[in-house]
Structures are given as C-alpha cells and as structure tokens.
Amino acid sequence: MAYDIDMIKKVYSQMADRVNKARKVVGKPLTLSEKILYSHLWDGDASKGFTRGKDYVDFAPDRIACQDATAQMALLQFMQAGKKNVAVPTTVHCDHLIQAKMGAAIDLATANKSSHEVFDFLESVSNKYGIGFWKPGAGIIHQVVLENYAFPGGMMIGTDSHTVNAGGLGMVAIGVGGADAVDVMAGMAWELKFPKLIGVKLTGKLSGWTAPKDVILKVAGILTVKGGTGAIVEYFGEGARSMSCTGKGTICNMGAEVGATTSTFGYDDSMERYLKATDRADVAEAANEIREHLTGDDEVYANPEQYFDEVIEINLSDLKPHLNGPFTPDLATPISDMAEKAKENNWPIKVDWGLIGSCTNSSYEDLTRAASIAKQAVDKKLIAKSDLGINPGSETIRFTAERDGLLQIFEDLNATIFTNACGPCIGQWDRSDRKGDERNTIVHSFNRNFSKRADGNPNTHAFVGSPEMVAAIAISGRLDFDPTRDKLLNEDGVEVMLDEPTGIELPPKGFGVEDPGYLAPSDDGNKIAIKVAEDSERLQLLEPFEPWDGKNLSGVKLLIKAFGKCTTDHISMAGPWLRFRGHLDNISNNMLIGAINAFNKKTNLVKSQITGEYDAVPAVQRAYKADGIPTIVVGDHNYGEGSSREHAAMEPRFLGVRVVLVKSFARIHETNLKKQGMLGITFSNEKDYDLILEDDTFNFVDLEDFAADKPLHIEVVHADGSKDMIKANHTYNDSQIEWFKQGSALNLIKMDSLV
Ligand code: MIC
Ligand code: SF4
C-alpha cells in the first residue's frame, strides 16, 4: 500500500471538479500542467485565470521532500517557526553526505561515523515533527520519492532542484529553497509566479543506442541552461507514451538543467505499470478513475501551438545518442560528431572514469541497459579501459539488481559499487587515481557537469550521457568512441563491436528489498528534545536576521563583480563544504570562492576597499562586516543557476552583503535571496554591467519607496569621483517586500506564530 493514500485519495476526489471549474474560468482546454496547478490553489476552486509569467499565485502542495544537505538549514529554520508538527506529509532523505571511495560497505560505515552528528540531528528533528526519515544508504531522494511517494496529478515541493524528477510520474514537482519548504511545513501557502508553458511533442520511438537521456540532452542543447526559466515543460505524444516511467523521470530530472520550473508527463500505461510494480496498485486504481484529468486535454495535444507558449517537436526515431559537456550541461554533441569536436576543442580523449548513477539515471531499467553492455564486454573478452563506478538509486534497486545478477556483471568488469547515494555527483568522491589539477576526462550519467563538481579539479572535463553510453565509453576508454560505428580490439587481438543495448523496464520477479531504510516518526513528538552542541562545527542554531531600517542603502561597496557563469556551485561550493551545511558561520567561509573576479579573472581574490589589498572573498567580506560597511555583489546572466541550496543566499546575508545586482537570475536562487531578506535586483540596461568598476560605491536613491513594479535607481560613484546613475528592475511583490522589510520571510512567520 502507498504511503499517505488518504491524502492522495482526497486530492483525486476534488480533482474533476476543480479541473472543470478551471477550464471554465480559463475559457479553453487545459494542459496537464494547468490542471495540476489550478487544482492546487491555496484558495480552493479557481475563480479566475492567471497570466502566465506574471501573476504570483498561492498554491497548496501535497507533500515535501528534503535531502540531508539542505534539510539541515530547512529544519533549523522550521524549528524557529514555533509549530508542533509539519502541516503536510514530509520526508528527509540522507543521500548527499556519503562519500564514494572504497565501495558501499566501507563508505557507508565511514559516513555513518563522520556525519553521525548530522544524521542524528535530522533523525530526531524528523521524529519530533512528524517527518518520515530515510536513513543513509536508503537511496537518493528523487529515486526514493519516485518509488514511494510521487503520484500522478499531485503537487510537491522539495529542497533540491532535482525534485522535478517526480514529473516522470505525472506530478508537478518543484525544487525550492528551505525557507519555501518551511512555509508549507508551517501550514502556509506556497507562492510561485504562474509559469509559462513549453510543450514538447515527442513522435516516433527510441531505438538502438538512443535513450530517454538523449531526449533531455537534446532539449538542453535547444533551450540552453536558461531557456526553460519560469516555464513548465510538458511532454506529450506517442513518443512520450512509448517510454518507461523511470525514463520519463530522467527527462524531467534534467529539466533542472535548462532552468525549467519543472517538467511533467501525462498519466499513461507506463506510469500505471510502475505504480503497480512499486506496490502502489491502490494509487494506480485511484488514478485510473480520473484518468482524463491526469493528462492534458485532447485539443491541447492536437494543436499545441495554440495552448503552449513555445512548442518543440522531437522525433525519437531520428534522435541520436548525445554527450553533453564539458563544464556545462547544454553543450550537446551527437556521439557521431564527438571525435571531430573533441579534437577541435582539444578535449582530453582518454577517459579516466565512467560513472553510472545519480538521481537522474539509476533506475532498474538504467542498470539493465548498462549491464547489457558490460556483459558483452566480458563475453567478448574486452577489459574496461576506464575505471567504472556505479551508484544504485535506492536500496530497493540495489537489492533487486543484486538478486537479478546485474551487480555481478558490473563487478566482473571490475566496477566499484558505491553506496545508494549521490556520491561523485555532488563531489563526494575520493578519487583514487588523480589528486592534482591535471587535465582529464570523465563521462557520467549524472545531470550536472559544472567545473570542479565531481572531484574539485577545474581541469576535469566531465561529459553527460546515458548509462549505456557511459558503459560503452568506459569500456573503450575513449571520448571519441562511437559504438554504433567503431570496433574495439579484445584481449585476443580480435576486433569486436558492441551490440545495441537492451533493457528491462521493470524487474520480472518484482522489486525486492529487506530493509528499505525508512523510519516512521513518533506519534507524539512533544517530548523529544533536539540537542545541538554549542561547540559543534557542523550544526549551529540560527539567529534571526536584522530587519531593514527603512533607509536608503548608501556607501555600499563592491565586494565582487562576478564574471561569466556563476552557479550555486560557485557561490557556495558543495564537495568538502557539505559538512558545514548546518553551520551558517562555518559554511560562510566558502562564500563566492568559486566566482571569477571580473577584474583579474581569478577566483577568490578580490580587492578590499578598506585596505586596498587583495584577499579571499569571505575574508574581505568579514572585514566589511566588522566595520559595518554594506556591500553589493554584481553578476552576469542566470546568476545562481543550479542548486536549490539556500546557503548561496544565506551566506551573503549572514556576512553583511545587502544587494545582489545581476543581468538575470535563476528562479530558485532569486526566491532564496528574497526569502532571506536580501535585495536581489537586475540591470535594467544589461550594458550597465560594464560600468561597474573595482572601487565603486553604490548609493540607492529611492529604496525608501520600494514598491512592486517600480524600478530602483542607484548612483554608482567611481574612484575618480565620476558618477553613473543606473536603473535596476526587481520582481518583488508586496508580500516579498515585507520579507525584505522584516529582515527575512522567517521573521514574518515567527511574528504570526506569536500572535
Ligand atoms: C545538486 O545536485 O546540486 C544538489 C546538491 O542536489 C543540490 C542541492 C544541494 O546543494 O544540497 C540541488 O540540486 O538543489
Ligand atoms: Fe544528488 Fe546529484 Fe541528484 Fe543532486 S543531482 S540530488 S547531488 S544525485
């Protein structure tokens, strides 16, 4: 039986009525995304149609998921909200803090020792407030959610950008910062700008080496890392129906990499099969009863141009396998062109590692397709030239894959089976082969490949591909290997080719598991005490941020003008820093250390206007803070791309940065800044970015009249005394301005709880 089945049945019992009412007020047939959004309005029935990309709307999500690295800050904030229990079903998943090194057994034991303080904290907070807890080793949050909690037509939020994975099971699932999750845990509405809608029509059928991953690698190439910003991507068509549910999950998962709010697919037979295989026939039955409301209206899919803001069509029968990278997930190259492109760009051809796993590609089907390649290699007497590492998505998958002999196949190829966890995908990787900054290449089935992400080395060229392609490339050891064309020399000196991969959608003997790793919370958490040691270097209780004094900010010094890509990995790096995610002061020592200073093109070296000397960004900022000098961070396009980690907003807030002024923001990061009481604004004229000089001081002219839809003006004073007046836009609505005034959104919740 499914968890929270009563909640799901309640959602379904209202769905038909709510969808019909929404269709009436909108006045036309509805997409699936609209059906889900309009049936989850905080105010209940739809009373008016919303303008996409403009109206802020209050929603009532059905559930929340948090992972260990973000849950710490989310729960530290929730603990301040003064509530007894979470208001909607919530789970915490321990997956980010487990390093991949020797293999699952040793690595998990090591993590349980080194991070026990954090795991214990999360477990006890979960227990106290009615939150389901998934222990370390239980699996990666999004795989576990897909297997246990996601349901067609539902809405969830999660403190991780890849929460969107649950779109594979027909949800609208959205990644948010912890402070957003706290609103919903505290029983309040969750606010989102009504998204635009991008329709992707899939025709044809995948075959041969092409996998669901290639659909999203292709879409990423088309939309680029910011092309999906503010939009839901809805997939439909015969091609969509022909793919497995977990394949759909892969596509939705990596929608985060185009900046999409989320992605989703209409309910179909593949989802029904998946629900039944994962012990949720009850959900499938309930969904079958309202099937028509769990997918877009026929008219919409027949004439998508009339209903979506943008339509993309992809014929799966023509789609080629791709590899995307290096350093950005949208640099798409069909595998057939890789040899030429790699040469042109001087990318290292030798591949050191092939890594299979991460929340985007660690399903049973993924493992079977990759194993079908690995098996051929063994049978055809090939030895893998690269090292191979596998992270199964969950204990259920691992157990089943072991039972069905899949893991043995990888082991026969000398692969290391890492823990059911994020591992190398988030820099939790003690790479045995290389320690320095050497140029090298790795291929993986993950979703992100930003500089330094997997191993901290800026010269590791990481390429993203399907699990089967990663297996093939790891066997060949070469980036320019095209398995559809190229032969390999085996141990007997004979030339052999790899046949096309084959996969099994769902385990024929059913999924099996002994201990899935779940702990249900106590019925009465009242008596449970949460302890945080005062001298802990991992956990620190939060102090509220100061409210705004109502005055124009003036004398604001430039801390850094970031050049080019500045993702959340640049602002608050993961890897070794994950250990400080529950300690705001300590993690603030990584603030912006990965951002490139536009004036010297170096990382972590900025000029202090106090001393005139260059120093590390956190050190310079701490000195400004000590002197009570406000500062500003200036940035380029899509600032804050990537993760949902709110540390990227809390650290600057904590250290006294007041403003972030950029060409454009990534959605989650912009909201995170607002929630923490920061001023996140954009250049009205992009070219003004070029006016900003190293020794600049900023004086706000009209912040005292801060109001929705009203741009702000800032006087920029240069070192030679000359001045420029620049205009900045913002997207704060009235309630968000209140967060700024009160110092943070949490300060407001606390005031409400006291009343
Ligand atoms: C990621 O993939 O970057 C992460 C690590 O899962 C993040 C969350 C985090 O930083 O903890 C995400 O995607 O939101
Ligand atoms: Fe974990 Fe990687 Fe997925 Fe993020 S993208 S949740 S780090 S597996």
Side-chain angles (χ1 to χ4, degrees):
M1 195 177 83
Y3 292 96
D4 307 307
I5 184 72
D6 294 341
M7 176 271 281
I8 297 174
K9 286 195 169 150
K10 179 155 179 266
V11 172
Y12 284 178
S13 69
Q14 300 166 340
M15 193 109 187
D17 200 35
R18 289 193 169 179
V19 166
N20 289 332
K21 289 201 170 113
R23 200 180 288 109
K24 222 174 262 160
V25 293
V26 174
K28 54 181 182 177
L30 297 177
T31 60
L32 168 64
S33 311
E34 288 165 306
K35 289 183 186 181
I36 302 179
L37 293 171
Y38 279 105
S39 60
H40 285 84
L41 297 177
W42 179 254
D43 292 333
D45 292 344
S47 54
K48 66 169 196 145
F50 296 105
T51 310
R52 298 178 192 168
K54 185 159 182 292
D55 289 340
Y56 281 99
V57 180
D58 280 346
F59 291 102
D62 302 316
R63 61 177 316 122
I64 301 172
C66 306
Q67 41 89 340
D68 49 2
T70 50
Q72 298 170 60
M73 211 36 103
L75 295 179
L76 283 163
Q77 293 177 82
F78 180 69
M79 283 162 63
Q80 294 210 350
K83 305 285 173 189
K84 263 184 76 186
N85 253 315
V86 285
V88 303
T90 301
T91 49
V92 164
H93 304 257
C94 297
D95 54 359
H96 281 62
L97 298 176
I98 305 161
Q99 199 183 45
K101 184 177 181 185
M102 309 295 287
I106 298 176
D107 295 350
L108 182 57
T110 309
N112 272 327
K113 222 186 266 157
S114 62
S115 286
H116 78 92
E117 184 185 4
V118 171
F119 295 145
D120 291 352
F121 168 76
L122 292 175
E123 187 181 320
S124 59
V125 180
S126 299
N127 199 6
K128 181 172 178 68
Y129 294 106
I131 300 172
F133 182 75
W134 290 81
K135 293 188 278 190
I140 309 176
I141 173 169
H142 311 301
Q143 184 59 45
V144 174
V145 165
L146 197 73
E147 264 167 30
N148 295 280
Y149 299 115
F151 63 99
M155 177 188 258
M156 73 178 276
I157 57 170
T159 60
D160 188 283
S161 62
H162 293 105
T163 303
V164 293
N165 189 67
L169 202 36
M171 283 197 115
V172 160
I174 301 180
V176 297
D180 273 33
V182 170
D183 285 353
V184 181
M185 287 177 196
M188 292 166 34
W190 175 63
E191 187 192 64
L192 178 76
K193 195 185 269 177
F194 203 88
K196 294 198 167 212
L197 301 176
I198 299 176
V200 181
K201 180 172 181 180
L202 300 177
T203 59
K205 197 167 186 298
L206 294 171
S207 65
W209 283 92
T210 313
K213 182 76 159 200
D214 297 302
V215 177
I216 187 62
L217 294 180
K218 174 83 185 169
V219 169
I222 297 170
L223 286 176
T224 79
V225 288
K226 55 182 200 299
T229 307
I232 296 186
V233 185
E234 182 169 326
Y235 293 84
F236 59 94
E238 40 155 355
R241 288 189 298 274
S242 71
M243 281 184 292
S244 66
C245 174
T246 49
K248 292 181 172 85
T250 297
I251 294 173
C252 293
N253 179 298
M254 248 192 100
E257 274 51 67
V258 298
T261 302
T262 190
S263 309
T264 193
F265 283 82
Y267 181 57
D268 65 10
D269 294 350
S270 72
M271 297 185 193
E272 184 178 344
R273 287 195 296 277
Y274 186 71
L275 283 170
K276 288 183 173 157
T278 50
D279 205 14
R280 288 174 291 170
D282 46 356
V283 179
E285 265 158 41
N288 287 343
E289 279 173 32
I290 56 158
R291 219 177 166 102
E292 67 192 280
H293 303 300
L294 300 175
T295 189
D297 287 340
D298 291 344
E299 297 89 326
V300 169
Y301 295 156
N303 295 300
E305 289 76 16
Q306 289 176 25
Y307 302 95
F308 290 98
D309 299 288
E310 188 182 339
V311 176
I312 296 171
E313 187 167 334
I314 297 175
N315 183 346
L316 301 183
S317 307
D318 297 342
L319 187 65
K320 302 244 159 49
H322 281 67
L323 277 183
N324 285 21
F327 307 122
T328 185
D330 57 352
L331 186 56
T333 306
I335 193 85
S336 49
D337 300 347
M338 187 46 104
E340 202 182 323
K341 204 148 155 202
K343 203 159 156 214
E344 230 170 74
N345 290 286
N346 193 23
W347 295 330
I349 297 293
K350 176 173 176 291
V351 174
D352 287 354
W353 272 89
L355 298 158
I356 293 172
S358 106
C359 57
T360 177
N361 269 117
S362 51
S363 66
Y364 185 83
E365 184 180 43
D366 287 332
L367 293 187
T368 57
R369 286 180 66 86
S372 78
I373 300 300
K375 171 121 186 25
Q376 289 179 53
V378 177
D379 293 348
K380 295 181 184 182
K381 296 195 176 165
L382 291 162
I383 320 175
K385 299 265 170 38
S386 316
D387 287 321
L388 193 58
I390 318 272
N391 285 86
S394 70
E395 175 57 14
T396 300
I397 289 170
R398 192 209 61 77
F399 185 95
T400 312
E402 180 167 60
R403 182 199 66 194
D404 295 352
L406 298 175
L407 297 187
Q408 189 58 51
I409 297 176
F410 293 119
E411 279 166 344
D412 289 345
L413 208 58
N414 265 332
T416 313
I417 312 295
F418 295 125
T419 318
N420 315 315
C422 305
C425 181
I426 191 54
Q428 289 283 25
W429 188 24
D430 188 344
R431 205 175 151 174
S432 43
D433 58 332
R434 285 177 190 264
K435 296 288 178 205
D437 272 5
E438 308 106 302
R439 279 164 56 80
N440 75 103
T441 291
I442 62 174
V443 289
H444 59 56
S445 71
F446 310 162
N447 37 35
R448 297 206 166 128
N449 56 351
F450 303 141
S451 166
K452 296 193 191 176
R453 182 167 168 103
D455 61 1
N457 175 355
N459 298 317
T460 292
H461 293 54
F463 292 83
V464 181
S466 68
E468 50 270 45
M469 191 53 71
V470 170
I473 291 186
I475 291 162
S476 76
R478 294 183 63 93
L479 181 63
D480 57 1
F481 175 65
D482 177 354
T484 65
R485 198 181 54 196
D486 299 339
K487 300 199 171 84
L488 294 166
L489 213 52
N490 77 3
E491 276 175 272
D492 299 340
V494 179
E495 281 193 332
V496 294
M497 271 192 86
L498 294 170
D499 304 327
E500 289 173 351
T502 52
I504 305 171
E505 179 181 309
L506 293 162
K509 287 189 245 159
F511 283 109
V513 69
E514 259 159 25
D515 173 10
Y518 176 70
L519 284 182
S522 140
D523 287 336
D524 175 16
N526 242 342
K527 293 190 206 79
I528 297 164
I530 312 288
K531 282 187 227 105
V532 171
E534 257 187 50
D535 59 351
S536 167
E537 57 156 23
R538 305 277 309 257
L539 295 165
Q540 179 188 42
L541 295 175
L542 292 171
E543 296 286 337
F545 294 131
E546 288 284 308
W548 176 47
D549 64 6
K551 301 211 183 84
N552 270 323
L553 291 169
S554 61
V556 181
K557 301 291 181 192
L558 178 74
L559 173 65
I560 182 171
K561 174 170 159 177
F563 172 78
K565 211 172 180 63
C566 193
T567 71
T568 39
D569 280 356
H570 298 81
I571 306 170
S572 175
M573 191 181 275
W577 291 91
L578 282 174
R579 58 185 278 103
F580 299 121
R581 282 288 184 86
H583 197 295
L584 186 53
D585 197 358
N586 285 346
I587 196 154
S588 294
N589 290 329
N590 80 357
M591 186 188 73
L592 284 159
I593 62 175
I596 299 171
N597 177 355
F599 302 108
N600 57 15
K601 302 286 185 296
K602 297 211 162 93
T603 53
N604 205 18
L605 199 67
V606 292
K607 185 170 176 184
S608 157
Q609 293 193 42
I610 303 177
T611 61
E613 304 286 321
Y614 286 82
D615 203 344
V617 187
V620 170
Q621 180 55 36
R622 282 190 190 269
Y624 283 129
K625 182 181 182 183
D627 284 2
I629 300 171
T631 57
I632 181 170
V633 168
V634 169
D636 212 309
H637 272 300
N638 210 19
Y639 183 88
E641 159 188 357
S643 160
S644 66
R645 63 190 77 138
E646 62 200 323
H647 305 76
M650 291 180 94
E651 293 173 26
R653 179 74 173 104
F654 176 72
L655 291 183
V657 177
R658 303 300 300 274
V659 189
V660 180
L661 169 63
V662 298
K663 291 186 188 167
S664 63
F665 282 110
R667 174 189 62 88
I668 306 180
H669 186 61
E670 184 177 20
T671 310
N672 285 345
L673 287 171
K674 290 177 179 176
K675 286 255 149 154
Q676 301 302 338
M678 294 275 293
L679 197 57
I681 52 182
T682 52
F683 288 103
S684 176
N685 175 5
E686 267 176 31
K687 291 221 166 59
D688 287 352
Y689 172 91
D690 301 328
L691 296 176
I692 310 302
L693 302 175
E694 202 169 16
D695 293 303
D696 283 353
T697 303
F698 298 69
N699 300 315
F700 280 74
V701 178
D702 45 11
L703 186 62
E704 285 173 3
D705 309 319
F706 194 16
D709 298 321
K710 191 169 168 285
L712 293 166
H713 295 85
I714 313 162
E715 176 191 68
V716 185
V717 186
H718 306 297
D720 64 2
S722 64
K723 292 176 182 168
D724 283 299
M725 184 63 82
I726 63 171
K727 188 162 115 183
N729 297 332
H730 70 82
T731 59
Y732 288 73
N733 61 20
D734 292 342
S735 48
Q736 295 170 340
I737 290 177
E738 230 19 64
W739 304 342
F740 175 73
K741 289 187 175 161
Q742 296 306 326
S744 71
L746 187 59
N747 286 352
L748 260 184
I749 305 187
K750 272 192 350 208
M751 284 163 63
D752 290 348
S753 299
L754 292 177
V755 180

